[in-house]
């Protein structure tokens, strides 16, 4: 019973680590998306402070045309300041030349942002976020993240190999004539048939 509990804990831990690395490193790397750390609480409770948002890059009016109310976007409010803001679109306007601008607001804010956001200010649209993962992301550089992927993959492979070896060992024991015990829960529920006694002679 203890062995099963250890296996269950290890499997759950490795699965959690693998899922985290998949969400914050592998998927963005494969799809060309960008992970960013949320440093303020303007999008709480939807996106808690310290989360990592994964953003699909946007460029120009063509990409901006695909956005609508409710989308969460990352943009640069001021051209001379590299600080990025991630807020929700609460309004869309189109001028006479077909150019779009967006009214944005943080979910935790009572009022919309003062200035509309244009297509040139947009940097991306949020695809998903991972709570609290941003803290780890700021502590690790790209090389360390890649090393984490290799380490987690090796751990998952080692655990799978350990499981296979255990199964093969159990089968070998059974083939050598080991008797498999049956727990009361596995015992048949139907009563066994009664064989009548036969008397011989007079």
């Amino acid at each position: 019973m203890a062995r099963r509990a250890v296996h269950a804990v290890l499997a759950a831990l490795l699965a959690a680590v693998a899922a985290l690395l998949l969400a914050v490193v592998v998927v963005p790397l494969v799809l060309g998306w960008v992970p960013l750390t949320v440093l303020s609480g303007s999008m709480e409770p939807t996106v808690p402070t310290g989360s990592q948002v994964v953003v699909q890059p946007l460029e120009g009016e063509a990409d901006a045309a695909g956005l609508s109310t409710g989308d969460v976007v990352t943009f640069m409010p001021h051209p001379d300041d590299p600080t990025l803001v991630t807020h929700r679109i609460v309004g869309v306007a189109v001028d006479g030349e077909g150019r779009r601008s967006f009214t944005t607001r943080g979910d935790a804010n009572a009022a919309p942002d003062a200035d509309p956001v244009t297509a040139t200010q947009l940097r991306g649209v949020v695809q998903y976020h991972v709570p609290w993962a941003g803290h780890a992301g700021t502590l690790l550089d790209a090389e360390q993240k890649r090393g984490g992927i290799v380490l987690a993959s090796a751990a998952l492979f080692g655990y799978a190999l350990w499981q296979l070896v255990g199964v093969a060992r159990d089968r070998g024991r059974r083939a050598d004539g080991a008797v498999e015990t049956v727990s009361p829960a596995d015992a048949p529920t139907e009563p066994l048939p009664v064989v009548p006694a036969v008397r011989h002679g007079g």
Side-chain angles (χ1 to χ4, degrees), residues 43-148:
M43 280 298 292
E44 290 186 347
T46 310
V47 183
T49 304
S51 299
Q52 190 163 83
V53 292
V54 177
V55 176
Q56 179 182 359
L58 298 174
E59 275 189 45
E61 294 288 344
D63 288 348
L67 298 174
S68 59
T69 301
D71 288 335
V72 178
V73 293
T74 297
F75 56 94
M76 184 182 291
H78 309 290
D80 56 346
D81 185 354
T83 302
L84 299 176
V85 173
T86 297
H87 280 174
R88 190 180 304 278
I89 295 174
V90 295
V92 180
V94 183
D95 65 14
E97 298 180 5
R99 291 175 298 193
R100 291 174 173 250
S101 61
F102 305 92
T103 302
T104 55
R105 178 174 62 84
D107 287 0
N109 298 340
D113 300 330
D115 300 315
V117 177
T118 64
T120 56
Q121 293 173 276
L122 290 171
R123 292 297 176 266
V125 57
V126 175
Q127 297 299 312
Y128 60 87
H129 75 279
V130 182
W132 307 298
H135 294 304
T138 56
L139 296 175
L140 302 177
D141 57 28
E143 188 64 30
Q144 289 170 326
K145 289 177 182 178
R146 282 192 291 268

Side-chain angles (χ1 to χ4, degrees), residues 173-196:
R173 287 174 181 170
R174 292 177 187 176
D176 290 339
V179 177
E180 184 178 357
T181 59
V182 179
S183 67
D186 296 327
T189 57
E190 294 294 330
L192 295 175
V194 177
V195 179

Side-chain angles (χ1 to χ4, degrees), residues 3-17 155-156 159 162:
R3 184 181 175 187
R4 287 185 180 180
V6 171
H7 283 187
V9 170
L10 285 175
L13 182 61
L14 288 172
V17 171
L156 287 170
Y159 177 74
W162 181 31

Side-chain angles (χ1 to χ4, degrees), residues 198-202:
V198 178
R199 298 180 63 185
H200 296 275

Side-chain angles (χ1 to χ4, degrees), residues 5 21 49 57 73 81 146-147 149 153 169 171:
L21 288 173
T49 304
V73 293
D81 185 354
R146 282 192 291 268
I149 294 174
S153 300
R169 188 185 298 117
R171 286 181 178 175

